[in-house]
Amino acid sequence: VPLTPEEEVRQRFLHYLVDFCDYPHGRIGTEQMVVVNGMRKRADAVIYNTQAQPYIIIEFKAPDVTLNQKVFDQVSVYCQELGVDYFMLSNGLKHYACHIDREHKRYEFMNALPLCP
């Protein structure tokens, strides 16, 4: 895989999750396919729970990409399609962890990363 700026963000963030936050390496999938409105898309990373169900979706961007509403909407759609309640975003400079509140149809920013499933 070419070491693009986005790929470097992904490698560093996943390293942090595995080595410092105790997320199991074997339950993290990269470039995971998601079908949205009949179109094949990909989630940059998916963390699976102990039942091998998608638990957290992570979207990475290069450091020069602003994490704007379009990026949040993109990962929110992936979460909806996969039935996932958590997502994380990172461009290497800013990082966000969110919980999806399905009852109120919104996401809430978290002060900490979701616990490892």
Side-chain angles (χ1 to χ4, degrees):
V1 176
L3 190 59
T4 63
E6 180 178 326
E7 180 62 23
E8 185 172 357
V9 170
R10 178 169 61 177
Q11 293 297 324
R12 289 178 185 272
F13 196 87
L14 294 179
H15 171 73
Y16 173 77
L17 290 177
V18 170
D19 291 346
F20 297 100
C21 300
D22 296 324
Y23 280 77
H25 184 271
R27 292 203 321 246
I28 300 174
T30 58
E31 303 291 327
Q32 301 294 287
M33 188 181 72
V34 179
V35 178
V36 178
N37 296 325
M39 295 175 54
R40 295 171 65 167
K41 304 286 185 175
R42 66 165 179 80
D44 290 333
V46 177
I47 299 173
Y48 295 89
N49 63 19
T50 56
Q51 292 79 41
Q53 298 297 316
Y55 181 71
I56 302 169
I57 294 179
I58 311 172
E59 184 66 26
F60 301 106
K61 299 296 181 189
D64 63 338
V65 176
T66 302
L67 299 178
N68 58 22
Q69 189 63 50
K70 182 178 176 183
V71 176
F72 279 86
D73 292 345
Q74 173 189 359
V75 73
S76 295
V77 169
Y78 293 171
C79 289
Q80 181 178 344
E81 292 296 320
L82 293 176
V84 174
D85 292 331
Y86 297 96
F87 67 86
M88 294 184 234
L89 299 172
S90 178
N91 67 0
L93 303 173
K94 292 191 177 193
H95 320 283
Y96 297 98
C98 297
H99 174 259
I100 296 181
D101 178 351
R102 294 189 191 286
E103 180 180 343
H104 297 100
K105 298 181 180 179
R106 64 181 182 200
Y107 50 84
E108 301 166 337
F109 291 94
M110 301 174 65
N111 293 326
L113 295 177
L115 295 176
C116 181

